C-alpha cells in the first residue's frame, strides 16, 4: 500500500493506493495536525504501508513570498570568466583555489572571510569533477552556519554559474524543508506508520527524504507536479492540458507523450538547474474572495457554502446553479446569503465565474495552445471542466473519479528518478560519480573501456543512485544512457589512459498503473 | 552582442595516431571549460551547426585531382600526405565539415546574421595548398570560406590575420597573386619551426605584390612583443587596406605551454590580441569579424584558457580573470621585436605607410 499526501495551500489530501485507489480523504490545512488526523481517518491499522510520498507547496510559497533566509554564496571560481556570473547569493564571497577540467586541484582552496549569514552555499568550478575543495572549505566554516549546501551535491553536469544558483536555492530552502519533513515524521510516528518517506520533485518523480534534504530546491514545483501526474495516472492521457482547481490557486500544466512537460525552475528570487513541470499558477481558486467588482485574488477563509464567512468563487458557482456535486456537505443557502451583500447577487456571481473561466482559458492558451483534450482535477472540476474547455476551444474535457484528490494520487503513483553523471579519468586513476552527491573512487591507471563497458557502468551507477534515493526494484528503474564520449589521454607521447563521460538517468514515470486508458 | 560559435561533435572523429599531438581532446577540454563557464547556455553565444563545404566550394580553391586523391585515400582509411599527416576514414567528411564550418561562420558575418563568429573545428587548414596537404591539414578551410563569401556576398576585400605559431604556407600560396585577400601572418620564424617559410621577403606576386605580409618572430616572443607588432604593423596596414571583413586564423600554439612550438603568449595575451582585432573590425568594416581555431597543442594548460580568452573577447565578455592556473609558469622575459618590425617596415615601405 502506498500513501500519497498532498499538502496544498488550502487542504491536505491523502489517498491509499495499491493496484487501485482504496481510500481517500481531504481536510482543511489550517486545522491542527491535519496529516495526522487524515491518516487516522484513512488507515484502519490493517494495511501494510510500503511507502509514504508527500508533495508540498510550502517551499514554493516561501520562495514566492520571499520568506526564505538570505544566503552567503561562497565561490571557488579559479581562472575563467568573471565570478560575478555566479553571484546568486545575498552576499557573494570569492575564495581562492582552482579545480581544472580533469578535476585536479591546481591551486589550493582558501576562504579567508566569514559568511555574512547562517545560510551558506559553497560552489567550486569543476566541483562535480572533484568534490574535495568544497568539502575542505566547509570544514573551515564556523559551526554556527545553520545550513550549508555544497555545489557537488546539487546534481551532475557542468555549468558553474547555474550550479551556484542551484546550490544557493538548496541552501535557502533547506531549513523550511527540514521543518516540514520533521512535522511529517511526527505525524507518521503518532499514527504508527513506520514506512520509508519520500518527497515529490518538481519533475513529478520522487526522492527519499534523506536525498531530498540535500537538494530541497527540487521540490519547488512539487504541487503542480503532483496534480499533473495524478491526472495522468487517473486518466492514462497521452496528450492533454491539465487544470487543477484548488482552494487558493489553479495550476495549468501540460502532458505530452504520457508525462508532464518540464522546464528549469525559477521561483521568487531563486533560480535552479532543476526541471519542474511547466505550470501557470493562477492565484485563483474555490476560496478566492469575491468583491462587488469581481475576484480579489485573495483567500480569506473557506467558502460560505463550506462554513466560511465571505463570498467566494465556490459560492458564486452555487448562486448561479453551476455547482455540481463536491463530495461533501454543502450549504447553498449560506452561499446565497453571502452574496446578498451585493446589490445584484446573480450578476456578480455570473461575472466572477466568467472572469475566472476566461483567465484560466488564457493560461491554457499560453501553456498548451494546441491541446485537444482538457483534464480537470480539484473539488470544483465537475462544475467547471466543460466551461473551461469551451472557453479554451478544446473539444473534449475529462473529470476522472478521484479528481478531487488528484495531487495525492500523483504522490502515491510516482517513482524515483535520479540523473547520474560519470567521469572516468584512468590517467589520473579516478572515477567521479555525481548523482545525489559527488564521490571520487580509484580505478586502475591506464585502464581502457569500450562502449559496452561504459554503458554497463552507467546503468549500474544510475541504478545504484536510484536505490540510494529509495527505488526498491529494478522494474522501477528504466535507465536512459544519454551521452557517452571516450578519448585517449596522452602524456609524454604515451597513451596514459582514457577519459570517459556518460550521463544516465533513471527516468521519471508512473510507479503504479491505475488502468486509465485515455 | 551574440557570438555565433560553430561546433560539431563530428569534429572529434578523425585521429592521426593514438599519440599524435593534433587530437580530439584539443576540442574536448575546451568544450568542458566553455560548458562549465556556462557559456554554452548563455545568450552571449549561439551554438551553430556547420554544414559540409559543397563541391563547388572546394573547387573554387582545390585541384580536382587532389580532391579525388584525398577522397579515395579517406575511403580506404589509410595513407599519409606527409610524415605527420595521416589519412583516416573520417578525413574526407570531417575536413569538408571543417571547411564548411569556417565558410558558414564567415558567411554569417558577411550577411549580417551574426556580428562575429568563431569556429572550433578540426582538422585545421592553413598548411593545405591547392593541390596537396601537410602539417595536419587537408583542405584549406579559410581559403574555401573566403572564396565562398567573395563569390556569393558583396564582401570583396578581406584582411586575413593568421596568428598561428606556424607560417600559413598553404594559404599564402593560394592568395599570393590576389590583392583582394591580404594575408598577414605573425608566426615563429621558419628558421626554427615548421614549415620553414614565411620570411619578410615573401610579399606576394603580380597583382598581389605587397598583399602578403610576414612577421617572423623569435622563439619565446611574448604578449607585449605581440602587441607591439599589432600596433606597428597590423593596425597601420589594416587601416590602409580598409577591408570589408576581418578574418583571424586564431592558432593557439603561441601559448607558452605548447609542446611543439616555442613562443611565450599567455591566455591574457590572447584576450588582448582578439580585443585588438575586434577594435580593428569595429573601426574598419562595421565590426564584421570571423575567426577560427587553427593549431594549439597545449591541451591541458593552454587551450581551455586561450580558447576561452578569444571566445570571451569576441563575445564582448569580461576577460580579466582568464589566465592559466598557477601550476603553469609563463616565461619571464621576451626577446625584442624591434628588429623584425624594422625589417617589415623597410620591405613593405614600398607598399604601405608606417
Ligand atoms: Zn600551428
Amino acid at each position: 500500500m502506498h500513501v500519497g499526501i498532498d499538502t496544498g495551500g488550502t487542504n491536505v489530501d491523502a489517498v491509499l493506493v495499491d493496484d487501485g485507489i482504496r481510500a481517500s480523504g481531504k481536510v482543511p490545512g489550517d486545522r491542527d495536525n491535519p496529516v495526522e488526523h487524515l491518516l487516522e481517518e484513512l488507515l484502519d491499522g490493517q494495511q501494510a504501508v510500503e511507502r509514504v510520498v508527500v508533495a508540498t507547496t510550502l517551499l514554493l510559497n516561501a520562495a514566492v513570498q520571499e520568506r526564505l533566509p538570505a544566503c552567503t554564496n561562497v565561490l571557488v571560481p579559479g581562472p575563467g570568466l568573471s565570478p560575478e556570473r555566479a553571484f546568486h547569493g545575498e552576499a557573494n564571497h570569492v575564495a581562492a583555489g582552482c579545480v581544472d577540467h580533469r578535476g585536479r586541484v591546481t591551486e589550493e582552496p582558501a576562504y579567508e572571510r566569514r559568511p555574512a549569514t547562517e545560510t551558506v552555499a559553497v560552489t567550486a568550478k569543476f566541483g562535480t569533477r572533484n568534490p574535495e575543495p568544497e568539502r575542505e572549505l566547509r570544514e573551515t566554516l564556523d559551526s554556527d552556519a545553520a545550513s550549508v549546501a555544497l555545489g557537488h551535491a546539487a546534481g551532475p553536469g557542468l555549468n558553474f554559474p547555474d550550479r551556484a544558483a542551484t546550490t544557493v536555492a538548496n541552501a535557502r530552502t533547506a531549513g523550511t524543508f527540514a521543518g516540514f519533513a520533521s512535522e511529517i515524521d511526527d505525524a507518521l510516528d503518532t499514527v504508527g506508520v513506520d514506512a520509508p518517506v519520500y518527497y515529490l520533485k518538481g519533475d513529478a518523480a520522487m526522492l527519499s527524504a534523506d536525498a531530498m534534504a540535500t537538494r530541497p530546491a527540487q521540490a519547488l514545483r512539487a504541487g503542480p507536479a503532483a496534480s499533473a501526474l495524478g491526472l495522468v495516472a487517473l486518466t492514462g492521457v497521452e496528450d492533454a492540458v491539465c487544470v487543477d482547481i484548488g482552494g487558493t490557486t489553479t495550476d495549468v500544466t501540460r502532458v505530452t507523450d504520457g508525462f508532464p512537460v518540464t522546464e528549469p525552475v525559477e521561483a521568487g528570487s531563486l533560480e535552479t538547474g532543476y526541471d519542474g513541470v511547466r505550470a501557470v499558477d493562477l492565484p485563483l481558486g474555490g476560496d478566492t474572495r469575491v468583491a462587488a467588482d469581481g475576484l480579489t485574488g485573495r483567500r480569506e477563509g473557506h467558502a460560505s457554502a463550506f462554513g466560511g464567512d465571505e463570498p467566494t468563487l465556490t459560492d458564486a458557482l452555487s448562486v448561479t446553479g453551476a455547482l455540481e456535486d463536491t463530495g461533501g456537505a454543502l450549504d447553498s443557502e449560506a452561499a446565497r446569503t453571502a452574496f446578498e451583500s451585493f446589490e445584484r447577487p446573480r450578476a456578480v456571481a455570473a461575472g466572477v465565474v466568467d472572469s475566472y473561466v476566461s483567465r484560466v482559458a488564457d493560461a491554457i492558451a499560453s501553456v498548451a495552445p494546441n491541446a485537444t483534450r482538457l483534464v480537470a482535477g480539484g473539488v470544483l472540476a465537475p462544475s467547471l471542466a466543460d466551461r473551461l474547455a469551451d472557453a479554451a476551444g478544446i473539444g473534449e474535457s475529462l473529470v476522472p473519479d478521484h479528481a478531487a484528490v488528484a495531487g495525492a494520487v500523483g504522490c502515491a503513483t510516482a517513482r524515483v528518478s535520479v540523473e547520474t553523471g560519470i567521469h572516468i579519468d584512468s590517467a589520473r586513476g579516478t572515477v567521479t560519480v555525481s548523482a545525489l552527491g559527488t564521490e571520487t573512487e580509484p580505478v586502475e591507471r591506464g585502464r581502457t573501456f569500450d562502449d559496452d563497458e561504459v554503458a554497463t557502468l552507467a546503468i549500474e551507477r544510475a541504478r545504484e543512485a536510484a536505490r540510494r534515493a529509495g527505488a526498491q526494484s529494478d522494474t522501477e528503474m528504466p535507465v536512459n544512457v544519454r551521452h557517452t564520449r571516450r578519448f585517449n589521454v596522452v602524456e609524454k607521447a604515451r597513451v596514459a589512459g582514457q577519459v570517459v563521460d556518460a550521463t544516465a538517468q533513471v527516468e521519471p514515470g508512473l510507479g503504479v498503473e491505475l488502468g486509465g486508458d485515455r | 552582442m551574440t557570438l555565433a560559435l560553430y561546433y560539431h561533435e563530428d569534429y572529434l572523429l578523425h585521429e592521426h595516431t593514438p599519440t599524435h599531438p593534433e587530437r580530439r581532446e584539443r576540442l574536448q577540454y575546451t568544450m568542458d571549460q566553455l560548458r562549465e563557464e556556462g557559456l554554452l547556455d548563455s545568450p552571449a553565444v549561439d551554438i551553430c551547426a556547420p554544414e559540409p563545404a559543397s563541391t563547388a566550394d572546394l573547387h573554387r580553391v582545390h585541384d580536382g585531382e587532389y580532391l579525388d586523391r584525398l577522397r579515395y585515400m579517406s575511403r580506404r582509411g589509410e595513407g599519409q600526405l606527409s610524415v605527420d599527416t595521416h589519412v583516416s576514414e573520417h578525413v574526407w567528411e570531417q575536413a569538408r565539415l571543417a571547411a564548411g564550418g569556417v565558410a558558414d561562420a564567415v558567411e554569417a558575418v558577411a550577411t549580417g546574421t551574426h556580428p562575429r563568429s568563431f569556429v572550433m573545428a578540426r582538422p585545421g587548414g592553413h598548411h593545405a595548398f591547392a593541390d596537396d596537404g601537410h602539417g595536419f591539414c587537408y583542405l584549406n578551410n579559410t581559403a574555401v570560406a573566403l572564396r565562398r563569401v567573395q563569390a556569393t556576398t558583396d564582401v570583396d576585400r578581406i584582411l586575413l590575420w593568421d596568428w598561428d605559431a606556424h607560417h600559413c604556407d598553404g594559404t599564402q600560396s593560394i592568395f599570393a597573386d590576389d590583392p583582394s585577400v591580404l594575408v598577414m601572418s605573425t608566426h615563429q620564424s621558419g628558421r626554427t619551426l615548421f614549415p620553414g617559410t614565411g620570411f619578410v621577403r615573401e610579399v606576394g606576386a603580380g597583382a598581389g605584390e605587397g598583399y602578403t605580409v610576414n612577421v617572423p618572430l623569435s622563439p619565446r616572443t611574448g604578449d607585449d612583443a605581440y602587441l607591439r607588432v599589432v600596433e606597428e604593423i597590423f593596425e597601420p596596414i589594416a587601416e590602409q587596406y580598409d577591408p570589408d571583413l576581418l578574418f583571424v586564423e586564431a592558432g593557439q600554439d603561441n601559448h607558452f605551454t605548447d609542446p611543439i612550438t616555442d613562443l611565450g603568449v599567455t591566455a591574457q595575451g590572447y584576450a588582448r590580441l582578439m580585443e585588438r582585432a575586434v577594435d580593428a573590425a569595429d573601426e574598419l568594416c562595421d565590426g564584421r569579424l570571423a575567426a577560427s581555431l587553427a593549431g594549439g597543442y597545449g591541451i591541458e594548460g593552454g587551450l581551455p584558457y586561450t580558447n576561452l580568452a578569444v571566445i570571451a573577447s569576441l563575445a564582448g565578455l569580461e576577460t580579466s580573470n582568464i589566465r592559466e592556473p598557477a601550476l603553469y609558469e609563463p616565461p619571464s622575459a621576451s626577446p625584442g621585436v624591434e628588429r623584425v618590425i624594422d625589417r617589415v617596415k623597410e620591405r613593405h615601405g614600398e607598399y604601405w605607410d608606417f
Side-chain angles (χ1 to χ4, degrees):
Chain A
M1 186 73 74
H2 296 180
V3 178
I5 303 172
D6 182 22
T7 66
T10 322
N11 294 309
V12 177
D13 301 343
V15 293
L16 306 186
V17 168
D18 46 26
D19 55 355
I21 294 168
R22 296 300 158 227
S24 68
K26 185 184 278 288
V27 298
D30 52 9
R31 66 182 281 183
D32 287 342
N33 308 317
V35 171
E36 189 184 313
H37 287 111
L38 192 54
L39 293 183
E40 255 164 12
E41 178 188 314
L42 293 182
L43 292 166
D44 57 14
Q46 302 301 306
Q47 307 97 330
V49 175
E50 281 169 54
R51 69 169 73 145
V52 178
V53 189
V54 186
T56 178
T57 53
L58 202 63
L59 301 186
L60 185 66
N61 294 342
V64 170
Q65 295 161 14
E66 298 294 353
R67 285 190 281 106
L68 295 171
C71 177
T72 304
N73 177 27
V74 180
L75 299 167
V76 186
L81 296 180
S82 167
E84 289 179 24
R85 293 165 59 85
F87 279 12
H88 294 284
E90 282 68 28
N92 296 282
H93 292 176
V94 174
C98 176
V99 183
D100 80 355
H101 49 272
R102 286 182 64 193
R104 294 171 302 200
V105 176
T106 51
E107 294 172 13
E108 284 306 318
Y111 177 52
E112 313 283 337
R113 301 170 69 175
R114 291 168 59 94
T117 56
E118 287 185 354
T119 297
V120 182
V122 181
T123 307
K125 195 176 286 174
F126 287 114
T128 51
R129 293 266 161 98
N130 183 347
E132 285 312 318
E134 288 173 4
R135 289 188 180 135
E136 279 173 38
L137 284 197
R138 180 196 198 141
E139 293 305 309
T140 68
L141 295 176
D142 283 353
S143 53
D144 56 34
S147 159
V148 183
L150 301 183
H152 70 262
L158 297 178
N159 188 329
F160 170 65
D162 274 11
R163 195 165 59 253
T166 305
T167 307
V168 166
N170 283 330
R172 295 185 66 196
T173 48
T176 307
F177 177 79
F180 177 74
S182 86
E183 282 174 28
I184 293 289
D185 288 346
D186 290 348
L188 294 173
D189 270 355
T190 310
V191 297
V193 171
D194 178 26
V197 180
Y198 297 79
Y199 287 88
L200 202 70
K201 296 189 287 175
D203 66 356
M206 64 183 192
L207 285 183
S208 68
D210 285 349
M212 190 61 99
T214 62
R215 37 212 293 200
Q218 282 199 318
L220 281 165
R221 286 263 170 94
S227 61
L229 186 69
L231 291 171
V232 168
L234 290 169
T235 59
V237 287
E238 288 288 319
D239 288 275
V241 62
C242 298
V243 180
D244 185 47
I245 307 162
T248 318
T249 60
T250 298
D251 291 327
V252 180
T253 54
R254 159 152 223 188
V255 170
T256 59
D257 299 324
F259 209 72
V261 174
T262 61
E263 66 183 5
V265 171
E266 296 177 12
S269 58
L270 301 182
E271 292 172 42
T272 79
Y274 298 136
D275 281 344
V277 298
R278 188 189 300 159
V280 170
D281 180 25
L282 295 172
L284 301 172
D287 290 351
T288 299
R289 166 96 156 78
V290 172
D293 55 354
L295 291 164
T296 61
R298 294 192 310 276
R299 175 181 188 271
E300 283 160 16
H302 299 289
S304 296
F306 293 118
D309 305 318
E310 305 288 349
T312 67
L313 176 64
T314 303
D315 299 321
L317 284 164
S318 172
V319 168
T320 59
L323 192 61
E324 305 274 341
D325 178 21
T326 57
L330 165 88
D331 185 349
S332 56
E333 189 52 35
R336 208 177 51 74
T337 312
F339 266 72
E340 268 167 7
S341 61
F342 302 124
E343 205 171 306
R344 300 166 58 215
R346 283 192 64 89
V348 171
V352 299
V353 174
D354 283 351
S355 131
Y356 174 80
V357 167
S358 93
R359 286 187 58 186
V360 177
D362 287 347
I364 292 171
S366 80
V367 173
N370 305 314
T372 57
R373 180 181 287 138
L374 179 145
V375 182
V379 170
L380 297 181
S383 311
L384 283 162
D386 288 347
R387 286 199 59 176
L388 292 173
D390 279 352
I394 294 173
E396 185 185 352
S397 73
L398 214 59
V399 180
D401 289 348
H402 307 290
V405 290
V409 173
C411 292
T413 54
R415 73 179 183 216
V416 166
S417 165
V418 185
E419 197 178 6
T420 303
I422 294 155
H423 180 78
I424 305 170
D425 186 333
S426 68
R428 284 185 67 212
T430 55
V431 176
T432 309
V433 180
S434 288
L436 301 168
T438 296
E439 299 296 336
T440 299
E441 54 192 83
V443 68
E444 182 193 335
R445 274 185 197 264
R447 180 169 167 198
T448 58
F449 295 79
D450 66 27
D451 282 343
D452 286 347
E453 287 171 317
V454 174
T456 306
L457 184 74
I459 289 169
E460 243 172 50
R461 292 311 171 90
R463 289 210 163 126
E464 198 175 298
R467 257 180 236 111
R468 276 179 34 217
Q472 287 164 334
S473 78
D474 278 4
T475 57
E476 275 197 321
M477 292 192 247
V479 181
N480 180 11
V481 179
R482 285 218 296 237
H483 176 70
T484 65
R485 65 170 192 179
R486 227 160 19 102
F487 58 83
N488 291 338
V489 174
V490 177
E491 285 170 0
K492 301 193 173 75
R494 281 183 43 252
V495 176
Q498 243 182 353
V499 165
V500 179
D501 277 292
T503 315
Q505 189 186 28
V506 171
E507 296 182 305
L510 279 175
V512 178
E513 301 281 349
L514 294 176
D517 57 357
R518 294 305 290 266
Chain B
M1 169 57 226
T2 300
L3 172 71
L5 177 64
Y6 283 81
Y7 176 74
H8 199 291
E9 292 275 320
D10 287 356
Y11 287 153
L12 308 175
L13 293 173
H14 170 52
E15 191 174 63
H16 293 259
T17 65
T19 60
H20 195 284
E22 202 290 284
R23 53 186 203 267
R24 55 188 67 140
E25 60 265 47
R26 294 181 57 229
L27 306 193
Q28 305 260 37
Y29 290 149
T30 293
M31 290 306 281
D32 280 2
Q33 189 78 34
L34 299 182
R35 202 166 277 127
E36 177 70 348
E37 296 289 355
L39 256 187
L40 302 188
D41 302 312
S42 125
V45 172
D46 266 351
I47 308 291
C48 301
E51 295 286 334
S54 69
T55 306
D57 288 334
L58 300 182
H59 280 273
R60 285 191 202 101
V61 171
H62 291 284
D63 287 359
E65 208 178 301
Y66 170 58
L67 294 173
D68 288 344
R69 175 160 67 102
L70 188 62
R71 188 170 46 218
Y72 176 75
M73 289 173 77
S74 182
R75 196 177 304 145
R76 287 169 51 99
E78 58 185 45
Q80 288 164 246
L81 296 183
S82 71
V83 64
D84 57 13
T85 305
H86 303 257
V87 179
S88 76
E89 58 181 328
H90 299 296
V91 155
W92 176 251
E93 290 304 329
Q94 193 173 323
R96 278 178 63 214
L97 193 61
V102 179
D104 289 352
V106 177
E107 200 170 32
V109 169
T111 59
T113 57
H114 287 86
R116 297 175 207 140
S117 59
F118 186 76
V119 192
M120 283 262 298
R122 299 174 56 240
H126 73 162
H127 297 305
F129 291 76
D131 60 357
D132 205 357
H134 72 154
F136 320 158
C137 297
Y138 308 88
L139 300 173
N140 197 301
N141 306 338
T142 301
V144 168
L146 302 192
R147 286 298 188 224
R148 185 207 280 179
V149 293
Q150 285 183 323
T152 62
T153 73
D154 55 9
V155 165
D156 295 322
R157 292 161 71 77
I158 299 170
L159 173 57
L160 193 176
W161 175 13
D162 185 319
W163 77 37
D164 189 274
H166 300 90
H167 174 240
C168 53
D169 52 349
T171 311
Q172 174 175 306
S173 89
I174 290 167
F175 295 116
D177 59 2
D178 180 356
S180 75
V181 176
L182 190 156
V183 180
M184 174 170 321
S185 178
T186 48
H187 52 264
Q188 184 176 332
S189 167
R191 280 202 306 273
T192 55
L193 191 68
F194 177 89
T197 51
F199 296 100
V200 175
R201 63 175 180 273
E202 299 163 30
V203 296
E209 188 178 325
Y211 295 94
T212 294
V213 181
N214 281 301
V215 186
L217 301 165
S218 307
R220 292 187 307 287
T221 299
D223 298 348
D224 291 346
Y226 263 86
L227 286 169
R228 280 204 61 190
V229 171
V230 170
E231 278 160 24
E232 302 210 24
I233 308 291
F234 171 78
E235 286 175 351
I237 291 180
E239 201 170 306
Q240 291 164 63
Y241 184 66
D242 194 21
D244 300 328
L245 186 149
L246 172 60
F247 184 85
V248 176
E249 185 126 356
Q252 320 281 29
D253 41 5
N254 314 332
H255 191 257
F256 66 86
T257 64
D258 201 278
I260 69 174
T261 67
D262 196 18
L263 290 166
V265 178
T266 67
Q268 270 297 306
Y270 273 102
R272 295 290 87 71
L273 289 177
M274 192 54 93
E275 277 164 16
R276 303 303 274 265
V278 167
D279 289 347
D282 283 349
E283 205 167 300
L284 302 173
C285 46
D286 298 327
R288 283 192 288 270
L289 170 56
S292 73
L293 173 64
Y297 310 95
I299 284 168
E300 302 272 350
L303 282 163
Y305 310 103
T306 58
N307 277 321
L308 179 64
V310 301
I311 288 168
S313 291
L314 282 168
L317 298 168
E318 166 73 49
T319 56
S320 61
N321 188 46
I322 303 176
R323 57 174 177 82
E324 307 73 15
L327 186 71
Y328 305 97
E329 263 182 65
S332 50
S334 165
V337 280
E338 295 77 13
R339 277 193 54 214
V340 67
I341 288 174
D342 286 347
R343 280 191 291 125
V344 173
K345 285 181 174 175
E346 192 185 319
R347 183 64 187 84
H348 278 274
E350 185 176 338
Y351 317 111
W352 310 100
D353 294 330
F354 293 101

